[in-house]
Amino acid sequence: MNTVEIIRKKREGQALSKEEIEYLIQGYTNGTIPDYQMSAWAMAVCFQGMNEQETADLTMAMVRSGDQVDLSSIRGIKVDKHSTGGVGDTTTLILGPLVAAAGVPVAKMSGRGLGHTGGTIDKLESFQGFSTELTTEEFVDLVNRIQLAVNGQTANLTPADKKLYALRDVTGTVDSIPLIASSIMSKKIATGADAIVLDVKTGDGAFMKEEEDAIRLAKAMVSIGKLVGRNTIAVISDMSQPLGYAVGNALEVKEAIDTLKGEGPEDLTELTLVLGSHMLCLAGRAQTAEEARAVLEQCIRDGSALNKLKEMVQGQHGDPNQVDHPELLPQAKEQIVVRAEQEGYIHRIQAEEIGLCAMRLGAGRATKEDQIDHAVGVVLHKKVGNPVKKGEPLATLYVNRNEMVNEVTQRLLQAIEIQTRPAQPPKLIRAIVTPTETIRL
Ligand code: URA
Ligand code: CA
């Protein structure tokens, strides 16, 4: 096969065969196809696109480029959830215990955060001693014993995607639906998911700022799932403001604990129940979303969901006492209240900027090597649509180092927009994409 011919074929808008795609991905992974040819091909894909079959073939070629996690010794249908970035998105911390408490195995591999979006692994490491470096055997054993484990990515997973994503980042070829869809799905499939629930965010803090783009990305991913035999469904949800109130690692753990007790923020609770219901349905634990929701609500009411979190923390060598006593989680030295400078209604809370503020305080990393501070971050006191009086608290900064406080305070005041006329809260769940239909809500 000839790499130049394949690039030219794509440039002219023709579909590539499975063999041609496999050849490209294998060659790129083992270094026989250089970066300049791969970037020419990626640019051709940006202009010409790929059909559903090509996108699925690309996904599976990337899955085969590295190790695949074998979860077959875990009983039951393994349903994974993936959120496409977000700010203060605590859903994984809540969904794991909640869905596991309902009897569905959750064997989750998660990443660390980079930039303004936080990673679940970082959040969990707020628990004293918590290990996210379990061996595959320990990981599988824990899931078989308590239905739940969350581990870091250790194996050599989808090296083709790692290399291609880095190349796309520096060649202006990130924004292509088939390239994004195959990148995300390859990682989920390589980590052993039988079925996948996607939470595709839209709005300021999201990868896909426009709702229609988010729906197109969701359709591409659901189609991949269908073509490769992994039942997939996508929920399109709002990320025009942060989810919940807390942004920062231990602060979000505390928010997750509250939510598992049934005392969490309304939007975070609702999104978690919607995503969890679809997970239960895909796992065969419930027939309808309504039935699934009732099961999940019961797990919150009877304390089994919160107890499941405790079991996981204990199982992964953390201190379960911190679940009952969140005041034992890392605490910041100082709390600084940011107050409204005028009266009115909250019109906008720029999610990305709030995420960047939390990062500035030390909650996130600018580069992979940065250390994070689990205690620090931002807790908002308002959501879009809320009325506010002059001098009322808008947010509390949890800080350990004072240098950033003035800058962050100014940025927060800019990011939270107050106007005199009333504002409508944004709709949280925008659409559901299934293999057969797109339901707009
Ligand atoms: N996230 C990914 O994992 N891959 C992309 O291509 C874009 C976002
Ligand atoms: Ca949150």
Side-chain angles (χ1 to χ4, degrees):
M1 240 175 275
N2 181 309
T3 310
V4 177
E5 274 310 312
I6 296 175
I7 296 168
R8 193 178 294 152
K9 197 171 164 186
K10 182 42 66 188
R11 192 196 71 199
E12 291 181 348
Q14 295 177 51
L16 301 180
S17 70
K18 182 174 176 217
E19 290 71 29
E20 287 166 330
I21 291 170
E22 186 75 32
Y23 171 83
L24 271 184
I25 292 302
Q26 266 190 23
Y28 188 53
T29 310
N30 65 31
T32 56
I33 295 177
D35 279 348
Y36 52 82
Q37 286 189 311
M38 209 59 188
S39 42
W41 170 80
M43 189 58 85
V45 172
C46 283
F47 282 113
Q48 296 290 4
M50 290 204 289
N51 67 32
E52 294 186 347
Q53 189 58 52
E54 285 179 285
T55 310
D57 290 340
L58 174 61
T59 306
M60 291 314 288
M62 293 201 290
V63 169
R64 285 188 294 267
S65 73
D67 299 338
Q68 293 176 56
V69 180
D70 180 5
L71 299 178
S72 58
S73 54
I74 296 172
R75 297 172 291 274
I77 299 172
K78 276 74 68 184
V79 187
D80 203 353
K81 189 262 336 182
H82 178 78
S83 297
T84 63
V87 176
D89 183 357
T90 321
T91 50
T92 303
L93 281 181
I94 306 161
L95 271 173
L98 182 56
V99 169
V104 172
V106 178
K108 180 128 193 89
M109 297 217 180
S110 217
R112 293 186 188 278
L114 187 61
H116 70 278
T117 58
T120 299
I121 291 293
D122 297 319
K123 296 174 195 176
L124 283 169
E125 284 174 351
S126 302
F127 290 107
Q128 174 76 37
F130 195 94
S131 168
T132 55
E133 290 172 5
L134 306 178
T135 64
T136 304
E137 200 187 348
E138 285 176 299
F139 178 63
V140 166
D141 283 351
L142 190 58
V143 180
N144 272 328
R145 192 153 55 79
I146 69 164
Q147 308 282 83
L148 173 64
V150 180
N151 213 9
Q153 286 156 4
T154 46
N156 171 38
L157 295 170
T158 60
D161 172 64
K162 277 199 192 82
K163 212 172 159 184
L164 183 56
Y165 197 8
L167 181 74
R168 287 165 54 212
D169 202 27
V170 294
T171 55
T173 53
V174 168
D175 302 310
S176 151
I177 298 261
L179 294 180
I180 301 171
S182 56
S183 168
I184 294 172
M185 289 296 282
S186 69
K187 285 174 276 213
K188 292 289 110 183
I189 293 166
T191 50
D194 298 319
I196 301 158
V197 174
L198 298 164
D199 173 20
V200 181
K201 313 276 192 198
T202 181
D204 176 73
F207 203 69
M208 290 288 159
K209 312 273 183 227
E210 301 299 327
E211 187 170 323
E212 285 313 307
D213 289 335
I215 290 178
R216 286 201 297 139
L217 176 62
K219 282 183 173 170
M221 292 193 285
V222 169
S223 155
I224 293 169
K226 186 175 175 184
L227 288 170
V228 308
R230 317 281 171 126
N231 217 342
T232 302
I233 186 168
V235 174
I236 314 293
S237 72
D238 178 65
M239 200 19 95
S240 65
Q241 62 180 337
L243 198 56
Y245 292 101
V247 183
N249 298 282
L251 296 168
E252 288 183 54
V253 169
K254 164 80 167 62
E255 191 168 57
I257 291 169
D258 290 342
T259 307
L260 286 167
K261 285 181 183 163
E263 298 162 4
E266 197 182 316
D267 59 342
L268 185 56
T269 303
E270 177 61 22
L271 180 59
T272 306
L273 287 170
V274 169
L275 294 171
S277 299
H278 288 294
M279 290 173 78
L280 260 52
C281 290
L282 287 184
R285 173 69 178 78
Q287 297 307 312
T288 64
E290 294 72 36
E291 183 193 338
R293 190 180 174 111
V295 171
L296 296 174
E297 286 172 341
Q298 177 62 22
C299 292
I300 292 176
R301 262 197 310 275
D302 67 16
S304 57
L306 184 68
N307 200 48
K308 194 53 80 179
L309 175 66
K310 251 193 285 190
E311 284 180 55
M312 176 181 75
V313 171
Q314 177 136 44
Q316 299 195 216
H317 318 296
D319 178 5
N321 205 22
Q322 290 177 309
V323 175
D324 289 326
H325 301 281
E327 69 278 8
L328 298 176
L329 288 164
Q331 301 289 323
K333 288 198 200 96
E334 233 184 311
Q335 298 182 16
I336 293 160
V337 178
V338 178
R339 295 177 187 278
E341 292 180 321
Q342 67 190 94
E343 170 179 311
Y345 296 85
I346 310 283
H347 275 246
R348 230 152 76 95
I349 303 180
Q350 294 175 32
E352 184 166 353
E353 187 64 8
I354 305 292
L356 290 169
C357 284
M359 185 175 132
R360 204 79 180 109
L361 295 174
R365 307 182 174 79
T367 72
K368 272 191 221 148
E369 289 70 34
D370 288 354
Q371 292 290 319
I372 61 167
D373 183 340
H374 289 93
V376 301
V378 177
V379 175
L380 299 168
H381 301 298
K382 298 284 176 186
K383 302 284 310 186
V384 171
N386 288 168
V388 60
K389 294 194 180 71
K390 188 173 175 183
E392 220 187 321
L394 289 176
T396 302
L397 311 183
Y398 288 73
V399 301
N400 274 333
R401 288 180 319 167
N402 275 319
E403 309 94 84
M404 309 301 176
V405 167
N406 286 338
E407 178 201 323
V408 169
T409 301
Q410 286 314 312
R411 283 175 68 172
L412 268 178
L413 286 170
Q414 289 288 316
I416 303 176
E417 198 178 304
I418 301 170
Q419 293 184 24
T420 48
R421 66 191 160 86
Q424 283 299 315
K427 186 182 269 181
L428 179 64
I429 311 288
R430 305 294 183 79
I432 310 279
V433 177
T434 77
T436 51
E437 60 181 338
T438 298
I439 306 156
R440 288 167 200 266
L441 302 165

